[in-house]
Amino acid sequence: MKTVTLHSGEVIPAFGQGTWKMGERRDGRAAEVAALRRGLDLGATLIDTAEMYAEGGAEEVVAEAVKGRRDGIFIVSKVYPHNASATGAVDACERSLKRLGTDRIDLYLLHWRGTVPLAETVSAFEKLRAAGKIRQWGVSNFDSADMTELAAVVGGGNCASNQVLYHLGERGIEWRLLGEEQRAGRPLMAYTPIGGKSVLASAAVASIARKHAIGPAAVALAWLLKIGRAHV
């Protein structure tokens, strides 16, 4: 499987599993856990989740899926902007750790910009990292101006990744952000990588899918992994 190297030197899978919408229904829990475990068996050992997803329910699904094999998994979770204060981020992280059934989160992201000053959030993240609660931290939904502002904050250079919307039908980051992040040696993580109906129903995508005897979703993912050069 293709890999991505973080600025820390750690090598992780370029293809991961998302958990948005998981944990919302108790009767779907077994199928969700089974799906994640199947992905892990196939080598997709990065799992992305957030405290926002089902208000912690998705993190509980992840906990069940990785039970007994935690050391081989790279877990990404995210903190709400309103929880990203000096004390709020620490408390939110502790709650996520409890739901995930683990003693550390491998990559902890600020889900999007809020009203808490970046300096305060970064300070909290660095405190969590020093305590071993998180191994690395990053951001999500930050544009070029946001990343410039982050870089000026003490400790801001320790940002490991930026998770952004990116797929065949949404390529705005290519104007500026993608190149800047690549030059900084900081991998982007693409969310909603398959796109929506407009991508899956595209005549061009359908043509490529038929040529290679694969589904449209596989074409969209392959484009990201081989052409978009972003972490999925």
Side-chain angles (χ1 to χ4, degrees):
M1 180 176 289
K2 184 177 179 180
T3 60
V4 170
T5 301
L6 301 178
H7 64 59
S8 65
E10 183 170 6
V11 178
I12 60 176
F15 183 89
Q17 302 185 76
T19 60
W20 185 41
K21 297 295 185 180
M22 287 189 178
E24 295 182 353
R25 294 175 48 189
R26 178 61 59 175
D27 60 0
R29 170 79 53 102
E32 292 167 352
V33 170
L36 289 176
R37 286 178 176 168
R38 177 58 174 161
L40 294 175
D41 291 340
L42 292 173
T45 54
L46 183 150
I47 298 179
D48 176 79
T49 189
E51 67 171 344
M52 185 189 81
Y53 301 165
E55 292 300 317
E59 291 179 321
E60 293 173 349
V61 172
V62 173
E64 190 172 345
V66 305
K67 188 174 182 179
R69 60 195 300 180
R70 172 65 181 94
D71 288 345
I73 314 302
F74 191 93
I75 294 177
V76 182
S77 193
K78 311 178 198 72
V79 61
Y80 269 123
H82 61 260
N83 284 338
S85 64
T87 58
V90 174
D91 292 342
C93 182
E94 290 288 0
R95 292 192 295 270
S96 286
L97 288 170
K98 184 176 181 180
R99 288 189 292 264
L100 288 163
T102 185
D103 62 349
R104 80 278 185 193
I105 294 172
D106 298 293
L107 179 60
Y108 198 42
L109 308 179
L110 172 61
H111 211 149
W112 65 87
R113 287 290 303 265
T115 58
V116 177
L118 284 179
E120 189 172 338
T121 301
V122 171
S123 178
F125 282 174
E126 287 295 317
K127 180 179 179 180
L128 286 166
R129 189 162 70 99
K133 302 293 184 178
I134 64 175
R135 296 181 54 240
Q136 297 173 86
W137 63 265
V139 295
S140 181
N141 295 297
F142 271 43
D143 61 21
S144 182
D146 293 323
M147 294 306 294
T148 297
E149 185 178 341
L150 177 63
V153 171
V154 175
N158 291 327
C159 177
S161 184
N162 182 10
Q163 185 176 120
V164 294
L165 177 64
Y166 188 40
H167 55 73
L168 268 171
E170 182 60 62
R171 301 173 62 179
I173 66 168
E174 293 177 5
W175 286 103
R176 184 173 178 182
L177 182 64
L178 179 59
E180 291 178 342
E181 295 297 86
Q182 288 175 335
R183 288 189 291 275
R186 183 169 42 238
L188 285 169
M189 182 183 293
Y191 70 78
T192 317
I194 293 173
K197 292 181 180 179
S198 61
V199 172
L200 299 181
S202 164
V205 171
S207 176
I208 295 171
R210 286 193 299 271
K211 179 179 179 180
H212 296 280
I214 58 177
V219 173
L221 291 173
W223 176 82
L224 264 179
L225 290 167
K226 295 185 181 298
I227 300 177
R229 293 177 292 172
H231 181 65
V232 177

